């Protein structure tokens, strides 16, 4: 072996470690970005149905009737059939929809 071999080995190991850290940070950022996109869309869907509830009340609807109709439409929205990103088979999407669509 040449006298510079240990120096090259340290550089390679250092490069591999730096590469793994960069890869980890990129994957973590991508997961955060996908989760944020899902939650932004989720908030938009809930806001749409809350506005619909307020409109129903403004038109003169009964509070309980408006709440039940709008909540039912919100829970049946197509968005809730979409899986949460990085939710590995927990199967609580319907419960989340019912909780988020609950109107008072």
């Amino acid at each position: 072996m040449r006298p510079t071999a240990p120096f090259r080995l340290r550089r390679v190991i250092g490069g591999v470690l730096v590469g793994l850290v960069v890869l980890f940070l990129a994957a973590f950022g991508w997961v955060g970005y996908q989760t944020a996109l899902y939650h932004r869309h989720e908030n938009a869907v809930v806001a749409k149905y809350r506005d619909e509830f307020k409109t129903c009340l403004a038109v003169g609807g009964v509070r309980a009737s408006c709440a039940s109709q709008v909540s039912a439409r919100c829970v049946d929205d197509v968005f809730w059939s979409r899986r949460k990103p990085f939710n590995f088979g927990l199967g609580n999407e319907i419960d989340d929809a019912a909780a988020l669509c609950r109107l008072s």
Side-chain angles (χ1 to χ4, degrees):
M1 272 182 125
R2 287 182 270 164
T4 58
F7 176 70
R8 288 183 185 167
L9 184 62
R10 278 185 264 150
R11 286 180 68 184
V12 168
I13 290 175
V16 168
L17 289 176
V18 168
L20 287 174
V21 168
V22 168
L23 185 65
F24 173 76
L25 291 175
F28 185 74
W30 184 75
V31 167
Y33 177 71
Q34 293 297 319
T35 304
L37 282 178
Y38 177 84
H39 288 302
R40 185 174 62 182
H41 193 179
E42 177 183 64
N43 291 336
V45 167
V46 171
K48 177 178 91 170
Y49 286 107
R50 290 200 189 275
D51 289 343
E52 194 174 311
F53 174 68
K54 290 176 187 174
T55 303
C56 180
L57 290 178
V59 171
V62 178
R63 186 174 194 83
S65 174
C66 287
S68 65
Q69 290 173 2
V70 173
S71 291
R73 280 198 304 271
C74 180
V75 170
D76 291 337
D77 194 284
V78 171
F79 172 74
W80 303 113
S81 64
R82 202 177 142 195
R83 288 186 48 141
K84 279 186 177 181
F86 313 106
N87 184 17
F88 300 108
L90 298 178
N92 58 358
E93 288 85 5
I94 301 300
D95 297 337
D96 289 346
L100 290 171
C101 291
R102 189 172 297 128
L103 302 167
S104 54

